[in-house]
Amino acid sequence: MPWLHQMVERVARKAGLPKPKVAIVPTMTPNAFATGRNPENAVVAVTEGILQLLSPEELEGVIGHEISHIKHRDILISTIVATLAGAVIYIAEWLKWGLFFGYGDEEDNPLELIGTILLLILAPIAATLIQFAISRQREFYADEEGAKLTHPLWLANALAKLEKGVSIYPLERGNPATSHLFIINPFKEDFVMKLFSTHPPTEERIERLLEMCKGIRR
């Protein structure tokens, strides 16, 4: 697919980056993601579904979004954040076992016990919420930068199509822990999952991009 390689190279050049490798994922779920610890080892992956669903301009908007993730080193940032969140959860688990086996003497301070219980409950929740907040903010940044590299209307139209496309063809196999990598959450979401989604609401992302269009017209 030389035209796809040319598109990725064109957008990467605008961003001042070397051309990343290109991968095609054999699934009808329309989506895309970028990976790699730095721009020199980056990969932009698109699914067969997104190639069939989007126009060339809309696909270029998506490529711009993914190139922006590479430029901002978001993959590395998200990995560090996920590791720190995992460490907090691990410490909470360690405290839980200490609570079960280390307390019970008459000399134990009840306030200390209550504080430990609250830490067990709140620390993992706080770590997860911080992870979600950072992930959502990085998506907004990638939308903005990707729109500057291409055109905000192209990406806005792409997001609207992808949101609908994923609802029809959600990813059946895969680990939900990887959902933050994709431009749109590829898994079927219920109400609770939407509350804890790693992606900001698609409607809000589109609204911000349309505001950028107004600035271009001026």
Side-chain angles (χ1 to χ4, degrees):
M1 302 186 73
W3 64 269
L4 179 58
H5 283 273
Q6 291 168 9
M7 180 183 292
V8 172
E9 185 175 15
R10 181 169 61 250
V11 178
R13 191 185 305 117
K14 289 181 181 178
L17 301 177
K19 175 184 172 293
K21 294 180 180 179
V22 179
I24 298 178
V25 185
T27 176
M28 285 306 296
T29 303
N31 227 308
F33 64 90
T35 185
R37 65 182 183 277
N38 55 42
E40 289 72 30
N41 296 276
V43 180
V44 170
V46 296
T47 66
E48 292 178 346
I50 199 173
L51 293 176
Q52 296 184 26
L53 179 65
L54 301 186
S55 70
E57 292 80 11
E58 292 162 351
L59 181 61
E60 188 161 338
V62 171
I63 297 297
H65 174 97
E66 301 305 335
I67 294 290
S68 298
H69 276 311
I70 296 172
K71 182 177 180 179
H72 297 150
R73 299 177 183 263
D74 287 338
I75 297 93
L76 179 62
I77 292 173
S78 63
T79 301
I80 293 172
V81 172
T83 302
L84 292 175
V88 171
I89 294 173
Y90 176 80
I91 292 171
E93 288 290 320
W94 179 73
L95 288 174
K96 179 176 69 175
W97 290 109
L99 179 66
F100 286 158
F101 295 105
Y103 286 95
D105 298 335
E106 292 182 1
E107 292 81 7
D108 288 337
N109 187 343
L111 292 178
E112 183 180 347
L113 178 61
I114 293 172
T116 303
I117 293 174
L118 289 175
L119 181 63
L120 286 175
I121 297 171
L122 297 179
I125 295 175
T128 304
L129 290 177
I130 291 171
Q131 182 182 0
F132 289 162
I134 292 176
S135 179
R136 291 186 176 198
Q137 199 60 43
R138 303 315 296 180
E139 288 300 314
F140 281 133
Y141 288 152
D143 283 347
E144 182 179 355
E145 180 73 17
K148 292 176 181 177
L149 293 173
T150 57
H151 195 288
L153 189 59
W154 296 354
L155 182 54
N157 289 340
L159 290 176
K161 284 187 178 181
L162 291 174
E163 179 80 4
K164 186 174 182 180
V166 168
S167 67
I168 299 173
Y169 294 106
L171 195 61
E172 299 294 342
R173 297 178 181 180
N175 189 340
T178 64
S179 63
H180 68 284
L181 291 173
F182 294 84
I183 188 170
I184 292 282
N185 190 339
F187 300 98
K188 201 165 189 177
E189 291 185 303
D190 54 22
F191 176 75
V192 176
M193 286 185 67
K194 285 184 178 180
L195 289 178
F196 292 93
S197 176
T198 55
H199 293 70
T202 304
E203 296 81 4
E204 185 177 352
R205 296 170 68 182
I206 293 174
E207 185 177 343
R208 291 190 178 201
L209 290 167
L210 294 179
E211 285 296 320
M212 290 182 67
C213 289
K214 295 178 182 178
I216 291 175
R217 283 202 298 270
R218 285 198 293 270

